[in-house]
Amino acid sequence: MDKRARLFAAVQAGDQARGARALAAVARVFAAEAGQWPLAQWPQQYWRLLLATPSLRHAAKTEPNALLPGIARLAPERRAAVLLHLVAGLEDDVAAAALGLSAAAYQDSIRDSLPRNALGQPDVDVWRAWRAAAQRELERVPELPPLVEKAASAPAGTPVQPRTEPGATHGVRWLWLGVGTCVLAFAAAFFIHPAGREAISQWLATIKREPLPPAAAPKARFDAGDLALHPDREQLAAPREAAYADELALLAWLANASDPAAADAVPLPIATAPAQAASIAAADETAALASGARRWNALPPRLRGLRRGHWQAWRALDAGERVQLRGIAQRFGQLPADERQALRTRFDAQGSDARAGWWLGPRLGRDWPRVAALFAFVDEGDRARLLQLLREASPDDIVALERLAQSTAPEDRAALRRELLAQARERRGSWLQARLQR
């Protein structure tokens, strides 16, 4: 960088002595102010300071034997733009910032500095010649700075005589300048680095931080084998109720088929007094629950999902329906095995829609085939509200819903259900009758 700076100053100033004095002045200023800039900005700031010196900003007339004569004949502003690119080797954005220009204005200045060819375009061959000449001159510049101290003290226009012997003072000054630059670079790197900023922040902070003590042992941990945390514990703890839930559809059908008023009624024996359940010790109950959980966990996931659905359907029935179905289950269990199998076969002979409706309970399952067309496919968010509506419906409401299911087009059923849900419970009957009159 020192060789580039000396060649730049000599060509830009038009005189080597003027350029040497400018370099000496900039070296003192840069050493004093470099600590305020990040390291990445040092090249830009150095060339900015160099261009700010009066001897380079307002260059004198070029000497006849000047270095790089083709560039030296340019106006000072355009000469500086070309030298920053060819001699200093700066990128366009850094060079433009050093000159105080935008990147586009800097590029325009370089284009305007070139002579025009026969087509009126910037002559690229001249640019290549300038680049080659700049490279040759850089190779000729000696490694050590020539007579900066003497040039700085000599009056303008006085030729500088070479020293007969190198002085120790000159070398020591350059050495101390290098040491100072290194110290400034180290300090800047320390302040820029996150670790350095963190150390300074901790030193200056009024709130001191210290690590927390080790965490105490947790009072409890999740145990997958704990039966109290089993997701199906309620179902596993009531095996008899779970058995009723698995037979819900069959029991709901039997509750209607065994009604003496029904056509082709199914005769069921009169229920005998249930046997008193023997008391079970807590330890035996825990062991039975653990055994049931092991058998449950061994079932295929699909079968467990079906049984969970049966249990939810059983719990959705009101208490009176569950009491009725427990009695039906007891009477059904008193039949001989062949008669029980015959009734199962008769139940399975029904259509799939009819069998699915019996999972809703004895009363709603009986009416389901009449209204299934209207409620078979509903949004999951409306399912619970519609089931509650059907359980609360009177016989007249069921008749009205049956007629609407037959007369409403499939694409209009969703809108009809939304309007029905919007009605208050006490107004549903009158609304259904009015809807039938449309």
Side-chain angles (χ1 to χ4, degrees):
M1 178 173 174
D2 181 69
K3 295 170 64 175
R4 293 179 181 274
R6 281 184 284 146
L7 179 58
F8 177 92
V11 177
Q12 179 65 19
D15 178 76
Q16 294 191 36
R18 288 165 55 88
R21 288 194 296 271
L23 283 177
V26 169
R28 291 191 295 270
V29 175
F30 183 77
E33 298 183 0
Q36 63 181 311
W37 303 310
L39 284 177
Q41 294 185 11
W42 281 15
Q44 171 187 334
Q45 298 297 336
Y46 178 82
W47 294 107
R48 181 185 63 80
L49 288 174
L50 189 59
L51 287 168
T53 58
S55 57
L56 298 190
R57 177 64 72 178
H58 306 289
K61 184 177 179 181
T62 306
E63 296 178 350
N65 59 345
L67 300 174
L68 304 177
I71 301 175
R73 285 193 294 268
L74 298 174
E77 294 80 5
R78 294 181 179 177
R79 187 191 315 170
V82 172
L83 290 175
L84 286 175
H85 189 90
L86 296 180
V87 175
L90 300 182
E91 298 292 338
D92 288 356
D93 54 344
V94 179
L99 289 171
L101 302 174
S102 65
Y106 172 74
Q107 293 170 357
D108 291 341
S109 179
I110 289 182
R111 282 193 294 268
D112 293 342
S113 66
L114 290 171
R116 303 293 169 169
N117 58 18
L119 299 177
Q121 299 296 323
D123 195 334
V124 180
D125 292 334
V126 173
W127 180 259
R128 295 194 185 101
W130 287 357
R131 182 189 297 275
Q135 187 62 36
R136 288 193 301 271
E137 290 297 334
L138 283 173
E139 294 173 355
R140 295 172 184 169
V141 176
E143 293 294 335
L144 295 178
L147 307 177
V148 173
E149 186 175 339
K150 182 175 290 187
S153 59
T158 303
V160 180
Q161 301 297 327
R163 291 191 178 187
T164 57
E165 58 180 5
T169 304
H170 181 72
V172 169
R173 289 184 178 179
W174 277 100
L175 177 62
W176 279 111
L177 178 60
V179 171
T181 304
C182 291
V183 171
L184 290 174
F186 175 78
F190 179 79
F191 285 104
I192 292 173
H193 196 277
R197 294 200 302 269
E198 179 67 18
I200 295 173
S201 298
Q202 291 184 1
W203 181 58
L204 297 176
T206 57
I207 300 176
K208 302 301 180 183
R209 291 177 292 179
E210 59 182 15
L212 294 174
K219 295 183 179 180
R221 294 182 181 275
F222 174 74
D223 183 7
D226 188 355
L227 294 178
L229 303 177
H230 198 287
D232 302 299
R233 186 182 186 282
E234 182 185 14
Q235 186 174 353
L236 296 175
R240 185 183 295 273
E241 291 289 295
Y244 294 151
D246 291 335
E247 299 283 0
L248 170 57
L250 174 64
L251 297 177
W253 173 72
L254 286 172
N256 285 272
S258 61
D259 187 351
D264 196 12
V266 174
L268 291 178
I270 299 175
T272 58
Q276 294 293 331
S279 59
I280 302 176
D284 295 339
E285 183 177 358
T286 302
L289 183 59
S291 177
R294 286 192 296 271
R295 291 193 301 272
W296 175 266
N297 293 334
L299 295 175
R302 181 178 179 276
L303 183 55
R304 290 202 301 269
L306 286 174
R307 291 191 175 180
R308 288 191 187 104
H310 298 168
W311 179 257
Q312 293 171 2
W314 175 262
R315 300 301 299 171
L317 299 178
D318 58 46
E321 287 182 312
R322 289 199 295 271
V323 169
Q324 178 188 9
L325 295 184
R326 290 189 193 102
I328 294 295
Q330 182 183 359
R331 295 168 63 187
F332 178 69
Q334 295 174 7
L335 290 174
D338 57 341
E339 294 185 24
R340 292 200 301 271
Q341 183 58 43
L343 289 175
R344 290 183 184 278
T345 302
R346 182 175 168 183
F347 171 78
D348 292 337
Q350 301 177 91
S352 59
D353 290 341
R355 291 199 309 273
W358 290 115
W359 288 103
L360 301 175
R363 190 183 72 82
L364 192 52
R366 180 188 64 234
D367 298 330
W368 179 251
R370 303 164 61 187
V371 297
L374 190 57
F375 298 100
F377 303 100
V378 299
D379 295 334
E380 184 63 27
D382 296 335
R383 186 175 185 277
R385 297 172 60 197
L386 290 171
L387 284 176
Q388 184 64 28
L389 181 148
L390 290 174
R391 295 185 193 281
E392 296 171 352
S394 65
D396 291 339
D397 293 342
I398 295 296
V399 172
L401 290 171
E402 179 183 11
R403 294 174 59 186
L404 286 174
Q406 296 171 358
S407 60
T408 304
E411 61 272 16
D412 298 331
R413 290 170 183 168
L416 175 62
R417 290 192 297 267
R418 287 194 296 270
E419 293 183 36
L420 179 59
L421 288 173
Q423 307 305 316
R425 180 178 179 180
E426 60 274 8
R427 294 187 62 254
R428 286 176 191 157
S430 58
W431 183 86
L432 287 171
Q433 296 302 321
R435 185 60 184 253
L436 287 174
Q437 303 302 321
R438 292 187 181 179

